[in-house]
Amino acid sequence: MTAYADFYRRSIDDRDGFWAEEAKAIEWNTQPQQVCDYSNPPFARWFVGGTTNLCHNAVDRHLKDRADQAALIAVSTETNTEQVYTFTQLHAEVQRMAASLQELGVQKGDRVLIYMPMIAEAAFAMLACVRIGAIHTVVFGGFAAGALASRIEDASPKVIVSSDGGSRGGKVVEYKPLLDDAISQSSHKPSAVLLADRKLAVMNIVAGRDHLWGALREKHLNAVVPCEWLDSTDPSYTLYTSGTTGKPKGVQRDTGGYAVALAASMKHIYCGNPGETYFSTSDIGWVVGHSYIIYGPLIAGMATIMYEGLPTRPDGGIWWSLVEKYKVTVMFSAPTAVRVLKKQDPALLSKYDLSSLRALFLAGEPLDEPTAQWINEGLDKPIIDNYWQTETGWPILGIANGVEKKLSRFGSPGVAMYGYNVKLLDENSGDELTGADQKGVVAIEGPLPPGCMQTIWQDDARFVKTYWQSIPGKMVYSTFDWGVRDKDGYFFILGRTDDVINVAGHRLGTREIEESISSHPNISEVAVVGIADALKGQVAVAFAVVKDASGLVDAAAHAKLEAEVMKVVDNTIGAVGRPARVRFVTVLPKTRSGKLLRRAIQAVCEGRDVGDLTTMDDPAALQQIRDILS
Ligand code: PRX
């Protein structure tokens, strides 16, 4: 067996021995008594009896060896600011934030919702929460009031941390009015709101509820707030993600298992060393931002770059200039970002000294071969695809170069990562597909390894039903992705089995978009599908049935209604959910039992064969869509 094959086998066959070894990479206040308690499947409890703290492992433990080294590098090409925080400075800021949250009443187990742009204060807030045992819920700053309100409702935060605004492409995006709107829509009200004032917009301060970070920070300048020793299985955070139903799911993560999983991945997969710099271009609102902007790099003792701005401003070389300036060794981005850069001057790729950079990791959506090839040749660096989900927190499929050097294969995110007992299953029978090149659902046999979701926040039943009972006859975790595996164990991901779409690496539920569109007074019914797009991977397209079509007399009337519908989505979900097109029809294709045939609509839009339509109620419905498209 090769070194990796052996390593992988051990992680499955001697699960507890393997992870007991990995657990030594983090600092515990009390050593775990039991590696994995899987007595109540599918609920896995990792490192039972151990106590630790994520903030201790990300910040405090490094004060001994690297107090004056960079920890957080906050760069904004929107406000033209750059600030480097050493571990000592980060430690001080986090304690100021922790003391401020405590003053606002936050205690262990309370939820704190963070709705912020990519600024250092967002990192302080996340680290401050886990320091005191509060559970953070970061909501992507691009989400609008409706999406934010449903997350406030579900997480019931005691405090919300936010800001006057962010900026995108030189345009200020005000956060405070959206936040106020979301709080008024939610039946749960936070007792306090803590606001970072960047002086980008004037804030309407609600007396008694709203507090300014600047003032509280001054008050707690010398704060000493020790880390709370948490049980390994205590939740560290929840992060909402989309699924088949309209209601987003709060993915709940533990403390000790997550710390161990990230430390292991930094060593075996990303190969980042203490004292080096990591640059992930994601956003803290997504899982990549949690694992590989904040916790992973810091736990590894690396400096991490937080970047606010576009990849193309002031020009398409900005990211590479940061690699040169901060001697970035490991970089992480998404295929869409590379496709955006591909439209820029290729000379920008060779303008800077990139000798520090060892590899560029890409994840979040399928990496097409031309994009991989272009960036590989342009940078002359290994491009490493990796496949995972909000639910898992770290790669399911990838290449573990820290264990054994292997090359990526174009089009494949790699082989099963250690700890994941990955199977391909037949969708209908649940039978395992062991042969090469067979298409099946990518599934994982329990227990999920450390770092993966514990449950859905406040909804164990939904966790079991959604993830573990979707494949007939087996209790196995479904990723809801189609995949095939070649004879060498390399997987290829073929898209989602459910109604989730992936737009520019952003995971969206088509049902959420449909619910938003249905709130327009003149829409009675709508189907949203994801269709292939050369730049964004997929875009959302909506087919809507209007209640009163009498006004739809010409193209201008169609365009007006289309713009109105898009505006509704902008205001409820945010521009990330806005469909690229909204088309109006008189009927939608459905089965005789009334189920929307989204896959058939998608196939028509992408010019593919629609397959078996014997259960379709009214074939004219699909013909209408064909006619519109032609
Ligand atoms: O469909 C898969 C796709 O993105 C989904 C997970 O999205 P999210 O929860 O936002 O987590 C992203 C973490 C990187 C998956 O179910 N996906 C993710 N990575 C890849 C991918 N599809 C193909 N190749 C990948 N490398």
Side-chain angles (χ1 to χ4, degrees):
M1 271 210 243
T2 63
Y4 181 74
D6 187 39
F7 188 77
Y8 177 78
R9 274 272 48 97
R10 197 150 44 81
S11 78
I12 304 298
D13 297 344
D14 176 23
R15 179 188 75 206
D16 289 4
F18 178 92
W19 287 109
E21 196 58 41
E22 296 298 332
K24 293 181 186 158
I26 70 153
E27 284 186 3
W28 298 88
N29 188 50
T30 321
Q31 288 299 322
Q33 305 298 303
Q34 186 185 1
V35 175
C36 180
D37 170 13
Y38 201 50
S39 57
N40 180 28
F43 299 93
R45 299 170 72 237
W46 284 98
F47 308 112
V48 183
T51 62
T52 185
N53 183 288
L54 275 172
C55 187
H56 171 82
N57 278 285
V59 183
D60 299 47
R61 73 176 288 196
H62 303 303
L63 295 174
K64 188 162 39 73
D65 296 326
R66 52 195 82 258
D68 299 325
Q69 287 182 14
L72 181 68
I73 301 166
V75 179
S76 172
T77 49
E78 297 289 336
T79 56
N80 287 318
T81 49
E82 252 179 73
Q83 189 155 3
V84 179
Y85 298 86
T86 63
F87 278 99
T88 303
Q89 289 165 332
L90 180 60
H91 185 236
E93 292 292 354
V94 170
Q95 292 185 89
R96 290 166 190 150
M97 183 66 83
S100 303
L101 292 174
Q102 284 177 330
E103 183 182 324
L104 299 177
V106 176
Q107 293 175 356
K108 182 181 167 187
D110 286 340
R111 273 80 57 214
V112 173
L113 188 141
I114 299 172
Y115 179 60
M116 295 190 99
M118 286 290 287
I119 55 175
E121 286 79 0
F124 305 159
M126 292 168 74
L127 291 163
C129 285
V130 296
R131 186 173 190 86
I132 61 176
I135 301 167
H136 64 65
T137 299
V138 182
V139 176
F140 175 55
F143 280 133
L148 180 55
S150 65
R151 286 156 175 81
I152 294 174
E153 196 81 69
D154 196 69
S156 59
K158 184 170 263 180
V159 170
I160 296 181
V161 186
S162 189
S163 156
D164 55 339
S167 178
R168 209 178 144 71
K171 201 167 150 264
V172 171
V173 184
E174 289 195 40
Y175 280 36
K176 185 60 168 47
L178 297 182
L179 175 61
D180 289 340
D181 186 5
I183 294 174
S184 71
Q185 284 180 39
S186 165
S187 69
H188 171 84
K189 310 289 175 197
S191 56
V193 173
L194 181 59
L195 295 154
D197 187 1
R198 309 176 68 196
K199 307 268 185 269
L200 289 177
V202 177
M203 285 191 280
N204 177 20
I205 297 293
V206 178
R209 187 197 73 184
D210 295 355
H211 303 263
L212 290 175
W213 158 242
L216 282 180
R217 180 181 178 276
E218 279 303 310
K219 192 168 160 190
H220 296 291
L221 216 48
N222 300 312
V224 177
V225 180
C227 289
E228 176 92 28
W229 296 116
L230 301 172
D231 282 341
S232 175
T233 52
D234 280 341
S236 56
Y237 69 77
T238 64
L239 178 59
Y240 286 83
T241 192
S242 305
T244 296
T245 62
K247 187 174 179 269
K249 297 175 287 220
V251 167
Q252 179 183 317
R253 198 93 64 207
D254 74 353
T255 296
Y258 189 48
V260 170
L262 292 184
S265 71
M266 292 302 297
K267 184 169 159 208
H268 304 310
I269 302 173
Y270 298 103
C271 307
N273 304 310
E276 298 177 350
T277 306
Y278 196 100
F279 179 20
S280 163
T281 68
S282 183
D283 187 287
I284 48 148
W286 309 113
V287 69
V288 178
H290 283 65
S291 294
Y292 299 111
I293 294 177
I294 306 296
Y295 295 112
L298 291 175
I299 287 174
M302 299 178 80
T304 186
I305 297 180
M306 263 182 102
Y307 176 75
E308 180 188 51
L310 301 178
T312 49
R313 229 176 69 112
D315 64 41
I318 176 65
W319 286 354
W320 316 118
S321 79
L322 293 174
V323 171
E324 175 182 281
K325 180 166 180 187
Y326 294 106
K327 302 200 167 32
V328 171
T329 57
V330 186
M331 196 166 161
F332 192 137
S333 193
T336 292
V338 177
R339 286 192 293 262
V340 167
L341 293 178
K342 215 160 116 187
K343 299 192 161 180
Q344 310 287 313
D345 181 1
L348 291 165
L349 293 182
S350 46
K351 184 173 164 193
Y352 297 95
D353 175 6
L354 305 182
S355 55
S356 61
L357 188 66
R358 288 193 295 266
L360 169 64
F361 290 85
L362 298 173
E365 54 179 318
L367 172 60
D368 56 287
E369 194 164 334
T371 299
Q373 215 122 33
W374 177 81
I375 191 75
N376 178 228
E377 280 161 20
L379 295 179
D380 193 21
K381 302 284 176 185
I383 306 302
I384 308 178
D385 193 356
N386 53 132
Y387 158 86
W388 44 293
Q389 308 181 302
T390 305
E391 288 84 347
T392 66
W394 62 281
I396 303 168
L397 303 174
I399 301 290
N401 271 327
V403 181
E404 180 188 349
K405 289 237 175 316
K406 274 196 190 191
L407 287 178
S408 279
R409 292 193 185 173
F410 284 130
S412 164
V415 300
M417 285 293 91
Y418 55 89
Y420 289 98
N421 196 357
V422 183
K423 309 268 173 193
L424 278 177
L425 304 179
D426 181 275
E427 180 190 30
N428 299 314
S429 67
D431 292 343
E432 189 175 349
L433 306 172
T434 48
D437 306 323
Q438 286 176 290
K439 177 179 170 182
V441 179
V442 180
I444 304 164
E445 204 121 292
L448 292 176
C452 294
M453 78 190 296
Q454 289 182 294
T455 185
I456 292 177
W457 174 250
Q458 304 256 297
D459 205 344
D460 286 349
R462 189 174 173 205
F463 170 65
V464 176
K465 185 164 181 292
T466 305
Y467 293 105
W468 298 87
Q469 292 179 344
S470 75
I471 292 167
K474 272 209 175 84
M475 188 186 258
V476 61
Y477 173 88
S478 174
T479 61
F480 297 99
D481 280 303
W482 296 112
V484 295
R485 179 178 39 206
D486 70 11
K487 60 179 183 2
D488 302 321
Y490 282 76
F491 283 80
F492 295 78
I493 297 295
L494 308 172
R496 298 279 304 196
T497 65
D498 60 3
D499 296 322
V500 166
I501 60 172
N502 197 318
V503 180
H506 298 158
R507 174 167 163 185
L508 299 167
T510 49
R511 301 286 176 96
E512 277 168 85
I513 305 173
E514 288 170 4
E515 276 178 24
S516 166
I517 293 176
S518 300
S519 70
H520 186 285
N522 198 18
I523 301 295
S524 64
E525 223 187 343
V526 59
V528 171
V529 296
I531 65 166
D533 179 81
L535 183 67
K536 297 180 171 181
Q538 277 186 312
V539 290
V541 172
F543 293 91
V545 179
V546 287
K547 284 183 190 157
D548 174 8
S550 59
L552 284 179
V553 286
D554 55 16
H558 276 256
K560 183 167 169 282
L561 186 58
E562 179 173 33
E564 271 178 41
V565 168
M566 288 182 176
K567 186 100 191 125
V568 169
V569 179
D570 283 0
N571 292 341
T572 49
I573 298 176
V576 282
R578 185 200 301 154
R581 288 305 309 261
V582 184
R583 299 303 189 89
F584 303 106
V585 291
T586 57
V587 59
L588 288 168
K590 287 185 189 165
T591 62
R592 275 181 220 115
S593 56
K595 269 184 71 180
L596 267 176
L597 286 164
R598 291 189 189 75
R599 281 192 208 174
I601 302 176
Q602 186 191 39
V604 167
C605 291
E606 293 183 342
R608 287 184 285 111
D609 176 26
V610 291
D612 177 21
L613 288 176
T614 44
T615 62
M616 192 157 83
D617 188 31
D618 177 5
L622 213 50
Q623 192 51 45
Q624 213 181 101
I625 290 174
R626 275 197 197 95
D627 293 345
I628 289 179
L629 295 172
S630 65

mmCIF file of all heavy atoms in Angstrom, residues 241 287-288 363-366 385-390 413 479 481 493 496 502 507, ligand 1:
data_model
loop_
_atom_site.group_PDB
_atom_site.id
_atom_site.type_symbol
_atom_site.label_atom_id
_atom_site.label_comp_id
_atom_site.label_asym_id
_atom_site.label_seq_id
_atom_site.Cartn_x
_atom_site.Cartn_y
_atom_site.Cartn_z
ATOM 1 N N THR A 241 -27.363 26.972 6.203
ATOM 2 C CA THR A 241 -27.139 26.625 4.807
ATOM 3 C C THR A 241 -28.435 26.139 4.183
ATOM 4 O O THR A 241 -29.384 25.813 4.884
ATOM 5 C CB THR A 241 -26.005 25.584 4.659
ATOM 6 O OG1 THR A 241 -25.647 25.504 3.278
ATOM 7 C CG2 THR A 241 -26.423 24.198 5.129
ATOM 8 N N VAL A 287 -18.780 28.695 4.979
ATOM 9 C CA VAL A 287 -18.012 27.749 5.784
ATOM 10 C C VAL A 287 -16.509 27.857 5.534
ATOM 11 O O VAL A 287 -15.702 27.692 6.438
ATOM 12 C CB VAL A 287 -18.517 26.298 5.584
ATOM 13 C CG1 VAL A 287 -18.203 25.782 4.189
ATOM 14 C CG2 VAL A 287 -17.961 25.378 6.646
ATOM 15 N N VAL A 288 -16.118 28.152 4.293
ATOM 16 C CA VAL A 288 -14.681 28.269 4.014
ATOM 17 C C VAL A 288 -14.084 29.389 4.871
ATOM 18 O O VAL A 288 -12.967 29.278 5.387
ATOM 19 C CB VAL A 288 -14.410 28.525 2.514
ATOM 20 C CG1 VAL A 288 -12.919 28.693 2.257
ATOM 21 C CG2 VAL A 288 -14.960 27.389 1.661
ATOM 22 N N ALA A 363 -12.211 25.278 -4.147
ATOM 23 C CA ALA A 363 -13.332 24.444 -3.708
ATOM 24 C C ALA A 363 -14.626 25.224 -3.805
ATOM 25 O O ALA A 363 -14.629 26.423 -4.070
ATOM 26 C CB ALA A 363 -13.128 23.983 -2.264
ATOM 27 N N GLY A 364 -15.710 24.510 -3.573
ATOM 28 C CA GLY A 364 -17.021 25.145 -3.475
ATOM 29 C C GLY A 364 -17.917 24.879 -4.657
ATOM 30 O O GLY A 364 -19.126 25.035 -4.576
ATOM 31 N N GLU A 365 -17.356 24.493 -5.772
ATOM 32 C CA GLU A 365 -18.126 24.252 -6.995
ATOM 33 C C GLU A 365 -17.213 23.465 -7.932
ATOM 34 O O GLU A 365 -15.996 23.426 -7.716
ATOM 35 C CB GLU A 365 -18.530 25.584 -7.643
ATOM 36 C CG GLU A 365 -17.321 26.454 -7.874
ATOM 37 C CD GLU A 365 -17.624 27.787 -8.540
ATOM 38 O OE1 GLU A 365 -18.438 27.802 -9.467
ATOM 39 O OE2 GLU A 365 -17.007 28.784 -8.145
ATOM 40 N N PRO A 366 -17.782 22.870 -8.968
ATOM 41 C CA PRO A 366 -16.933 22.104 -9.879
ATOM 42 C C PRO A 366 -15.850 22.980 -10.523
ATOM 43 O O PRO A 366 -16.106 24.118 -10.894
ATOM 44 C CB PRO A 366 -17.920 21.599 -10.928
ATOM 45 C CG PRO A 366 -19.253 21.638 -10.257
ATOM 46 C CD PRO A 366 -19.201 22.786 -9.307
ATOM 47 N N ASP A 385 -7.837 20.922 -6.186
ATOM 48 C CA ASP A 385 -9.280 20.961 -5.992
ATOM 49 C C ASP A 385 -9.595 20.220 -4.686
ATOM 50 O O ASP A 385 -8.894 19.287 -4.308
ATOM 51 C CB ASP A 385 -9.917 20.223 -7.188
ATOM 52 C CG ASP A 385 -11.418 20.431 -7.297
ATOM 53 O OD1 ASP A 385 -12.012 21.076 -6.418
ATOM 54 O OD2 ASP A 385 -11.998 19.920 -8.282
ATOM 55 N N ASN A 386 -10.614 20.636 -3.975
ATOM 56 C CA ASN A 386 -11.095 19.846 -2.838
ATOM 57 C C ASN A 386 -12.586 20.032 -2.690
ATOM 58 O O ASN A 386 -13.124 21.094 -2.945
ATOM 59 C CB ASN A 386 -10.330 20.124 -1.537
ATOM 60 C CG ASN A 386 -10.231 21.580 -1.113
ATOM 61 O OD1 ASN A 386 -10.480 21.932 0.026
ATOM 62 N ND2 ASN A 386 -9.884 22.481 -2.030
ATOM 63 N N TYR A 387 -13.236 18.927 -2.293
ATOM 64 C CA TYR A 387 -14.699 18.893 -2.267
ATOM 65 C C TYR A 387 -15.199 18.697 -0.848
ATOM 66 O O TYR A 387 -14.751 17.778 -0.154
ATOM 67 C CB TYR A 387 -15.176 17.730 -3.151
ATOM 68 C CG TYR A 387 -16.568 17.238 -2.832
ATOM 69 C CD1 TYR A 387 -17.686 17.850 -3.395
ATOM 70 C CD2 TYR A 387 -16.764 16.166 -1.954
ATOM 71 C CE1 TYR A 387 -18.963 17.399 -3.089
ATOM 72 C CE2 TYR A 387 -18.040 15.719 -1.658
ATOM 73 C CZ TYR A 387 -19.134 16.333 -2.217
ATOM 74 O OH TYR A 387 -20.382 15.902 -1.912
ATOM 75 N N TRP A 388 -16.067 19.572 -0.409
ATOM 76 C CA TRP A 388 -16.690 19.398 0.907
ATOM 77 C C TRP A 388 -17.944 20.236 1.004
ATOM 78 O O TRP A 388 -18.443 20.724 -0.013
ATOM 79 C CB TRP A 388 -15.714 19.669 2.044
ATOM 80 C CG TRP A 388 -14.815 20.878 1.959
ATOM 81 C CD1 TRP A 388 -13.803 21.080 1.058
ATOM 82 C CD2 TRP A 388 -14.816 22.022 2.823
ATOM 83 N NE1 TRP A 388 -13.173 22.277 1.315
ATOM 84 C CE2 TRP A 388 -13.771 22.871 2.396
ATOM 85 C CE3 TRP A 388 -15.578 22.400 3.934
ATOM 86 C CZ2 TRP A 388 -13.489 24.084 3.028
ATOM 87 C CZ3 TRP A 388 -15.277 23.602 4.558
ATOM 88 C CH2 TRP A 388 -14.249 24.429 4.102
ATOM 89 N N GLN A 389 -18.480 20.366 2.215
ATOM 90 C CA GLN A 389 -19.772 21.022 2.396
ATOM 91 C C GLN A 389 -19.783 21.787 3.723
ATOM 92 O O GLN A 389 -18.993 21.475 4.625
ATOM 93 C CB GLN A 389 -20.881 19.967 2.482
ATOM 94 C CG GLN A 389 -20.889 18.980 1.352
ATOM 95 C CD GLN A 389 -22.024 17.976 1.474
ATOM 96 O OE1 GLN A 389 -22.125 17.267 2.464
ATOM 97 N NE2 GLN A 389 -22.883 17.930 0.472
ATOM 98 N N THR A 390 -20.721 22.704 3.848
ATOM 99 C CA THR A 390 -20.929 23.407 5.113
ATOM 100 C C THR A 390 -21.062 22.374 6.236
ATOM 101 O O THR A 390 -20.528 22.543 7.331
ATOM 102 C CB THR A 390 -22.217 24.246 5.041
ATOM 103 O OG1 THR A 390 -22.118 25.112 3.914
ATOM 104 C CG2 THR A 390 -22.426 25.061 6.300
ATOM 105 N N PRO A 413 -11.911 16.305 -7.763
ATOM 106 C CA PRO A 413 -11.442 16.893 -6.502
ATOM 107 C C PRO A 413 -10.602 15.939 -5.673
ATOM 108 O O PRO A 413 -10.161 16.297 -4.586
ATOM 109 C CB PRO A 413 -12.738 17.268 -5.784
ATOM 110 C CG PRO A 413 -13.809 16.482 -6.403
ATOM 111 C CD PRO A 413 -13.350 16.040 -7.767
ATOM 112 N N THR A 479 -24.611 13.193 0.885
ATOM 113 C CA THR A 479 -24.090 14.530 0.565
ATOM 114 C C THR A 479 -25.041 15.267 -0.369
ATOM 115 O O THR A 479 -24.891 16.450 -0.596
ATOM 116 C CB THR A 479 -22.742 14.431 -0.168
ATOM 117 O OG1 THR A 479 -22.957 13.709 -1.387
ATOM 118 C CG2 THR A 479 -21.686 13.728 0.674
ATOM 119 N N ASP A 481 -24.967 14.846 -3.466
ATOM 120 C CA ASP A 481 -24.225 15.065 -4.712
ATOM 121 C C ASP A 481 -24.122 13.748 -5.463
ATOM 122 O O ASP A 481 -23.942 12.685 -4.856
ATOM 123 C CB ASP A 481 -22.797 15.567 -4.421
ATOM 124 C CG ASP A 481 -22.754 17.046 -4.123
ATOM 125 O OD1 ASP A 481 -23.211 17.836 -4.976
ATOM 126 O OD2 ASP A 481 -22.266 17.430 -3.038
ATOM 127 N N ILE A 493 -17.391 14.843 -9.274
ATOM 128 C CA ILE A 493 -18.687 15.270 -8.745
ATOM 129 C C ILE A 493 -19.543 15.778 -9.906
ATOM 130 O O ILE A 493 -19.095 16.599 -10.709
ATOM 131 C CB ILE A 493 -18.484 16.370 -7.677
ATOM 132 C CG1 ILE A 493 -17.682 15.812 -6.488
ATOM 133 C CG2 ILE A 493 -19.817 16.942 -7.206
ATOM 134 C CD1 ILE A 493 -18.371 14.715 -5.705
ATOM 135 N N ARG A 496 -25.783 18.282 -7.829
ATOM 136 C CA ARG A 496 -26.631 17.956 -6.681
ATOM 137 C C ARG A 496 -27.802 17.052 -7.077
ATOM 138 O O ARG A 496 -28.338 17.152 -8.178
ATOM 139 C CB ARG A 496 -27.197 19.242 -6.069
ATOM 140 C CG ARG A 496 -26.157 20.191 -5.537
ATOM 141 C CD ARG A 496 -25.653 19.846 -4.178
ATOM 142 N NE ARG A 496 -26.684 19.732 -3.165
ATOM 143 C CZ ARG A 496 -26.432 19.748 -1.851
ATOM 144 N NH1 ARG A 496 -25.185 19.903 -1.403
ATOM 145 N NH2 ARG A 496 -27.399 19.612 -0.980
ATOM 146 N N ASN A 502 -25.729 26.126 -7.192
ATOM 147 C CA ASN A 502 -24.451 26.681 -6.804
ATOM 148 C C ASN A 502 -24.108 27.813 -7.768
ATOM 149 O O ASN A 502 -23.709 27.576 -8.897
ATOM 150 C CB ASN A 502 -23.410 25.550 -6.879
ATOM 151 C CG ASN A 502 -22.165 25.889 -6.113
ATOM 152 O OD1 ASN A 502 -21.681 27.021 -6.170
ATOM 153 N ND2 ASN A 502 -21.634 24.915 -5.402
ATOM 154 N N ARG A 507 -23.938 28.641 -2.298
ATOM 155 C CA ARG A 507 -24.955 27.596 -2.250
ATOM 156 C C ARG A 507 -26.319 28.214 -1.952
ATOM 157 O O ARG A 507 -26.500 28.888 -0.949
ATOM 158 C CB ARG A 507 -24.558 26.616 -1.161
ATOM 159 C CG ARG A 507 -25.567 25.563 -0.882
ATOM 160 C CD ARG A 507 -24.903 24.509 -0.026
ATOM 161 N NE ARG A 507 -25.880 23.671 0.618
ATOM 162 C CZ ARG A 507 -25.565 22.728 1.499
ATOM 163 N NH1 ARG A 507 -24.291 22.546 1.814
ATOM 164 N NH2 ARG A 507 -26.492 21.996 2.062
HETATM 165 O O1 PRX B 1 -22.391 20.358 -4.585
HETATM 166 C C1 PRX B 1 -21.171 20.374 -3.891
HETATM 167 C C2 PRX B 1 -20.449 21.684 -4.178
HETATM 168 O O2 PRX B 1 -20.849 22.583 -3.152
HETATM 169 C C3 PRX B 1 -21.678 21.922 -2.198
HETATM 170 C C4 PRX B 1 -21.371 22.391 -0.806
HETATM 171 O O3 PRX B 1 -21.441 23.794 -0.735
HETATM 172 P P1 PRX B 1 -21.187 24.538 0.633
HETATM 173 O O4 PRX B 1 -22.048 23.945 1.688
HETATM 174 O O5 PRX B 1 -21.300 25.982 0.382
HETATM 175 O O6 PRX B 1 -19.701 24.171 1.065
HETATM 176 C C5 PRX B 1 -18.587 24.551 0.296
HETATM 177 C C6 PRX B 1 -17.328 24.068 0.976
HETATM 178 C C7 PRX B 1 -16.124 24.138 0.077
HETATM 179 C C8 PRX B 1 -21.401 20.461 -2.395
HETATM 180 O O7 PRX B 1 -22.471 19.653 -1.930
HETATM 181 N N1 PRX B 1 -18.987 21.542 -4.150
HETATM 182 C C9 PRX B 1 -18.157 21.897 -3.143
HETATM 183 N N2 PRX B 1 -16.874 21.679 -3.496
HETATM 184 C C10 PRX B 1 -16.885 21.153 -4.740
HETATM 185 C C11 PRX B 1 -18.233 21.049 -5.155
HETATM 186 N N3 PRX B 1 -18.564 20.531 -6.352
HETATM 187 C C12 PRX B 1 -17.576 20.107 -7.147
HETATM 188 N N4 PRX B 1 -16.261 20.180 -6.825
HETATM 189 C C13 PRX B 1 -15.863 20.688 -5.633
HETATM 190 N N5 PRX B 1 -14.582 20.782 -5.322
#
